[in-house]
Amino acid sequence: MWRSLVLRGTACLLHVVPRGSQSLVRQRHQSSLSLRFLLHGHAHRLTAAPCLQHQRTDLLRGTYHLPHTVSRSLKSDAKSTVDFPVSPITVADIKQYLRSKEVPFHDGYSCLHAPSLFVEPSGEPGAVPTKDTYSMFIDKTTGQFLCKDTLAEGSWEDLQDCLEVMQKEGQAFLSSHVLLGYGETPEEQEERARELAEVQRFWSSSVPFSELADEEAQLVKSMFQITKITNATLKKFGVRFFKPTRSLVFPWFGGPSSALKGVKLLSAQASATDPGAVEYTETTVPRSSAYHNLFGLPLVGRPDAEVVLTGSELDVLAVSQGAGLPAVALPRGNSRLPPSLLPYLEQFKRVTLWLGGDMRAWEASRIFSRKLGLRRCSLVRPGEDQPRPAQALALGKNLARVVKGAIPAVHKSIVSFRQLRDDVYGELANTEQVAGVKWSRFPELNRILKGHRKGELTVFTGPTGSGKTTFISEVALDLCMQGVNTLWGSFEINNVRLAKIMLTQFSMQRLEDNLERYDYWADQFEELPLYFMTFHGQQNIKMVLDTMQHAIYLYDINHVVIDNLQFMMGQENLSVDKFAVQDHIVGAFRKFATNSCCHVTLIIHPRKEEDDRELQTASIFGSAKASQEADNVLILQEKKLVTCPGRRSLQVSKNRFDGDVGIFPLDFLKASLTFSTPVKAKHKLRKVSKEEEEEAAAAGREEAVSPAKKAKARAKPLKENAAKDPIAAATAAAASQRAEPDQSQAAGRRPALKRDG
């Protein structure tokens, strides 16, 4: 079960240990021999390595921040790094191994179904179980398995070792404690107890809608725009109202006993940008990384062959009431479909994905349908006539007709424009959404590139030492903060230093001077959908691509950053021309971005240029294939011979989306390690008329008059007025003396402004 750990080494988890901390990374490594020994009466004490228990760890070891101060301890369930699968397997390999061990199975949509190894067989010894009793699901892509009866789960290596032990020991089944009975530290046990207590506190303090006054219940429904949802529907799904925060409470009932495992609180407030719209804020206990609830699943019966997959709990209520169909909601909306939830969707012959009414929901639907199986999936195309289910119910739409009119996720072939017509109209009617996710820190980048889009390849270059990694990390962080699942492949600097840079950019301050605030910002940073590859130094391109594909399947990655291309060229055949090797790598990333519908940002070093020359597209190292294959080419320009602000600028030299190119200046703030567009100066040049030019010329000639002549000219009226009013003359003389240095300074500034312009 544990032989793969020897190959994985110690790079399983990423932990940043602060100074003075005595907490260590805990990894419990066991071998197959220890498993065999412990099965003889000590199975309940067997501990599993954290890196092999991704899903169980996510289910049982999530954390929730309570109002009072909690001491920080490093947890072994960090999900911030993505390891390369040691021995990538195919579904053919899995089937061949199961046949060799005489394990019956049948083919599902995304999983193989087999009898569980952790449940005592019923009936006569040697009897073959029926397909309806197959409760163990093996993922066709990763080999991960899950027993729905006992919640035992693990990797493909775990399953192989269990089968080997059963065969050699002659046992009919294994205890589920082999995988579930790992030891926990006192801190982890205390943390879990706090989470369960917090879940019970929220649930017991919330009120069913049937116990609310009619006026209050109607007010709450109006606030969440669910006035047409009846109290009977809310009671059916167990939805309650939490008065202290005025939030809806959605329960998570799971496991064989259907126990309460968590809650989600949904708060509503008026949108600050769109009048009349409502913005929702979600809070889950346990935290989102451990919240794996398919809301509505306990109400789905075994005979149901169809289900509607939605992006929110409110949409489940609308589909159930408006269409009379079984519906479930993804725990994290349109951002992720965890593979651990696929076994629970295997029972449905048809899955209709209705994730929302915008283009991002449409893109997520097409990506998730690949995991679920294209042939059984149908997609509801977003549009004005088909908004998200909750909104469609509020508008009086016929939800059953919308679901019935969903289009298949896969076409046998595209033979005419007729099948593309709706796609073209969707892009024309939703130009802002098609343009992609907007940056919040770089408005000038939005003006040129219009947004960050899936399926594109961006090539980024800049002089050595100009801050390429620092700049692109902030660009990726900006998108990640808006929900873009991001994977970092940093081969040049290690993950600890990269995480430190991004955490500083995230907090916008030097945490070295504010260590007491580290836990606060680290907790917020940990919630971002950000992952790191564990590679460092030269790597093989095939291994990197396999890891990226693995991460896309597990975490639904939308953006991959590779820093940088040169670190993947050293592992290739030295007898091959290096430019041919680079062309092969660039072509592989281009194909990956297109096929996986994922944006790839590739950093490439430029050729050596003179310090006084600006970089161009032709300055990218290698042949022209990199710039030809790229959808976007970004160049970080740096004037090395200049030390004043404005020495750096970003140039967009290629934009395949709409052709706009341009350049804008950048200011580097060392305290926060961030780049920002400098504030426009008041002395910025503008077009002037001929009259203004003549006035400016006259003013310049007047300023050219020597100070002595000016003083003489001012002295003449003063002498004349002194005879009439001595006091007024003295006051005017003092004012004239004070004005002289101000005018001289202004005269000295004007030429400087002209030079700046």
Side-chain angles (χ1 to χ4, degrees):
M1 183 183 299
W2 317 108
R3 60 173 177 260
S4 63
L5 292 176
V6 179
L7 299 177
R8 296 194 183 204
T10 59
C12 179
L13 300 175
L14 173 66
H15 292 287
V16 182
V17 184
R19 291 181 294 177
S21 174
Q22 301 299 322
S23 301
L24 300 177
V25 179
R26 297 179 296 275
Q27 292 189 357
R28 298 177 288 272
H29 291 186
Q30 300 287 346
S31 63
S32 298
L33 294 177
S34 64
L35 171 64
R36 192 179 308 169
F37 171 77
L38 291 173
L39 284 175
H40 295 282
H42 299 276
H44 64 283
R45 300 183 60 184
L46 181 63
T47 59
C51 57
L52 291 180
Q53 298 225 354
H54 299 297
Q55 310 302 338
R56 180 61 182 172
T57 298
D58 288 341
L59 286 172
L60 297 182
R61 293 192 183 181
T63 57
Y64 175 68
H65 300 289
L66 303 179
H68 57 275
T69 303
V70 181
S71 60
R72 176 169 55 86
S73 61
L74 297 178
K75 295 176 282 296
S76 60
D77 63 338
K79 45 83 180 173
S80 57
T81 60
V82 178
D83 288 321
F84 171 71
V86 177
S87 54
I89 58 173
T90 63
V91 64
D93 297 333
I94 298 176
K95 292 180 179 180
Q96 182 178 1
Y97 181 81
L98 294 178
R99 292 191 185 101
S100 66
K101 297 300 179 182
E102 298 181 352
V103 176
F105 66 89
H106 75 268
D107 212 337
Y109 299 102
S110 56
C111 301
L112 298 178
H113 305 185
S116 176
L117 307 181
F118 309 99
V119 177
E120 184 176 3
S122 59
E124 299 180 359
V128 179
T130 61
K131 292 183 179 181
D132 295 337
T133 62
Y134 287 3
S135 60
M136 187 171 70
F137 298 84
I138 306 171
D139 194 293
K140 293 181 180 181
T141 304
T142 63
Q144 292 273 344
F145 72 91
L146 168 68
C147 173
K148 293 174 65 175
D149 291 338
T150 62
L151 295 184
E153 57 185 354
S155 66
W156 172 242
E157 289 81 5
D158 295 340
L159 183 61
Q160 287 179 302
D161 288 336
C162 289
L163 288 173
E164 295 287 346
V165 171
M166 288 178 58
Q167 185 178 25
K168 293 181 180 180
E169 301 295 336
Q171 299 183 15
F173 72 101
L174 295 177
S175 171
S176 60
H177 293 290
V178 170
L179 295 173
L180 298 180
Y182 54 83
E184 288 185 330
T185 63
E187 292 84 1
E188 292 170 339
Q189 293 177 357
E190 182 181 356
E191 186 177 5
R192 286 189 56 202
R194 279 197 299 267
E195 289 177 358
L196 294 176
E198 195 73 6
V199 170
Q200 294 295 335
R201 183 179 72 84
F202 278 125
W203 185 246
S204 59
S205 301
S206 57
V207 181
F209 272 78
S210 59
E211 298 181 9
L212 294 176
D214 293 340
E215 294 182 358
E216 185 178 7
Q218 193 65 24
L219 180 62
V220 173
K221 291 181 180 180
S222 300
M223 182 171 58
F224 288 92
Q225 296 184 338
I226 53 172
T227 54
K228 292 192 176 182
I229 301 295
T230 63
N231 289 346
T233 302
L234 296 171
K235 181 180 180 181
K236 174 183 176 182
F237 286 89
V239 182
R240 296 186 177 185
F241 183 64
F242 188 63
K243 291 185 177 181
T245 59
R246 304 187 65 81
S247 306
L248 295 181
V249 180
F250 300 98
W252 174 14
F253 296 109
S257 59
S258 297
L260 181 64
K261 302 179 64 175
V263 293
K264 175 183 285 190
L265 276 69
L266 184 67
S267 304
Q269 60 183 0
S271 176
T273 58
D274 186 7
V278 177
E279 294 180 350
Y280 298 99
T281 303
E282 296 180 351
T283 303
T284 61
V285 186
R287 62 172 44 181
S288 58
S289 59
Y291 190 82
H292 288 73
N293 173 32
L294 279 173
F295 179 75
L297 187 63
L299 299 178
V300 179
R302 291 287 299 178
D304 292 324
E306 180 181 359
V307 70
V308 179
L309 189 63
T310 68
S312 72
E313 289 76 9
L314 297 180
D315 292 337
V316 171
L317 303 178
V319 172
S320 177
Q321 177 177 311
L325 297 172
V328 296
L330 294 176
R332 298 181 65 177
N334 302 337
S335 61
R336 276 195 63 192
L337 172 57
S340 59
L341 298 179
L342 297 179
Y344 299 99
L345 299 172
E346 280 288 300
Q347 68 186 57
F348 305 106
K349 295 182 179 179
R350 184 188 180 193
V351 179
T352 302
L353 288 87
W354 193 355
L355 300 182
D358 55 9
M359 293 303 296
R360 295 188 67 178
W362 175 248
E363 291 178 352
S365 299
R366 292 190 294 183
I367 293 174
F368 294 165
S369 62
R370 299 179 185 178
K371 286 186 179 182
L372 296 167
L374 292 173
R375 296 188 180 278
R376 65 164 173 163
C377 290
S378 299
L379 313 179
V380 175
R381 184 184 301 277
E384 296 181 359
D385 296 334
Q386 297 179 165
R388 54 186 294 256
Q391 186 178 359
L393 182 65
L395 296 175
K397 303 289 184 181
N398 189 330
L399 274 68
R401 182 180 300 173
V402 174
V403 174
K404 187 176 181 180
I407 63 175
V410 61
H411 290 284
K412 294 183 179 180
S413 61
I414 302 296
V415 295
S416 66
F417 175 75
R418 182 178 181 182
Q419 292 177 322
L420 293 173
R421 180 169 180 165
D422 291 337
D423 292 326
V424 174
Y425 178 80
E427 295 209 359
L428 293 175
N430 302 276
T431 54
E432 286 296 322
Q433 298 176 16
V434 171
V437 181
K438 303 295 187 296
W439 288 272
S440 60
R441 300 191 181 191
F442 301 95
E444 291 293 328
L445 202 56
N446 293 330
R447 180 180 61 82
I448 301 175
L449 286 181
K450 305 302 184 295
H452 175 88
R453 295 167 290 276
K454 297 179 182 179
E456 291 189 355
L457 173 65
T458 295
V459 170
F460 178 62
T461 189
T464 302
S466 60
K468 293 190 298 296
T469 302
T470 305
F471 173 76
I472 210 67
S473 67
E474 185 181 8
V475 171
L477 177 65
D478 189 344
L479 297 170
C480 189
M481 292 170 62
Q482 301 180 63
V484 177
N485 301 337
T486 305
L487 174 65
W488 252 98
S490 177
F491 309 116
E492 193 166 18
I493 64 175
N494 60 50
N495 287 331
V496 175
R497 287 187 58 194
L498 178 61
K500 176 185 174 183
I501 292 173
M502 300 187 75
L503 182 60
T504 303
Q505 294 172 336
F506 180 72
S507 61
M508 301 289 288
Q509 59 181 293
R510 287 179 58 87
L511 292 177
E512 295 91 334
D513 303 330
N514 301 279
L515 286 179
E516 67 278 0
R517 299 284 293 169
Y518 174 79
D519 284 340
Y520 170 78
W521 288 109
D523 290 340
Q524 302 296 322
F525 188 75
E526 190 177 347
E527 291 298 314
L528 297 178
L530 178 64
Y531 307 87
F532 302 89
M533 297 186 199
T534 55
F535 299 132
H536 186 64
Q538 293 184 350
Q539 298 296 333
N540 181 272
I541 177 63
K542 184 179 184 304
M543 185 177 296
V544 174
L545 290 174
D546 288 343
T547 304
M548 291 164 56
Q549 192 65 52
H550 183 72
I552 285 180
Y553 183 80
L554 289 180
Y555 307 114
D556 296 301
I557 298 298
N558 306 131
H559 185 202
V560 179
V561 182
I562 301 296
D563 184 17
N564 56 62
L565 174 75
Q566 277 76 2
F567 276 88
M568 280 173 287
M569 295 176 60
Q571 292 291 321
E572 303 298 331
N573 192 348
L574 297 179
S575 62
V576 182
D577 179 51
K578 61 180 180 181
F579 296 121
V581 173
Q582 177 175 332
D583 291 349
H584 167 71
I585 295 174
V586 172
F589 281 121
R590 167 74 270 176
K591 183 178 179 181
F592 177 87
T594 303
N595 295 341
S596 302
C597 195
C598 174
H599 192 112
V600 177
T601 298
L602 182 61
I603 300 177
I604 305 178
H605 283 308
R607 296 198 306 260
K608 298 301 181 182
E609 301 280 3
E610 299 294 335
D611 291 343
D612 59 343
R613 293 185 57 184
E614 290 189 350
L615 298 180
Q616 301 176 357
T617 304
S619 302
I620 300 175
F621 181 83
S623 66
K625 185 176 179 62
S627 58
Q628 291 173 354
E629 294 281 1
D631 296 284
N632 312 295
V633 176
L634 308 182
I635 303 176
L636 183 61
Q637 301 284 5
E638 181 185 26
K639 300 177 182 178
K640 296 184 178 180
L641 304 180
V642 179
T643 58
C644 64
R647 59 181 295 192
R648 294 183 180 90
S649 58
L650 183 69
Q651 179 181 357
V652 180
S653 60
K654 183 179 181 181
N655 177 10
R656 187 171 283 169
F657 178 70
D658 64 357
D660 286 353
V661 295
I663 186 171
F664 59 91
L666 296 171
D667 280 346
F668 179 66
L669 306 178
K670 191 172 183 180
S672 59
L673 301 180
T674 57
F675 291 84
S676 61
T677 304
V679 179
K680 295 183 179 179
K682 295 182 180 180
H683 56 267
K684 184 177 179 181
L685 295 180
R686 60 184 179 86
K687 294 182 178 180
V688 296
S689 61
K690 285 187 177 182
E691 292 78 5
E692 291 175 331
E693 290 180 355
E694 293 175 357
E695 292 177 1
R701 288 193 299 269
E702 182 180 351
E703 290 176 358
V705 179
S706 63
K709 292 183 178 180
K710 289 185 177 182
K712 186 177 181 180
R714 287 194 297 268
K716 185 176 181 180
L718 289 176
K719 290 180 180 180
E720 296 176 354
N721 295 333
K724 301 178 181 179
D725 191 352
I727 298 178
T731 304
S736 176
Q737 291 176 359
R738 289 195 301 269
E740 284 182 3
D742 296 339
Q743 293 174 358
S744 62
Q745 292 177 6
R749 279 199 304 268
R750 286 190 180 92
L753 297 182
K754 187 176 182 181
R755 287 195 298 272
D756 290 344

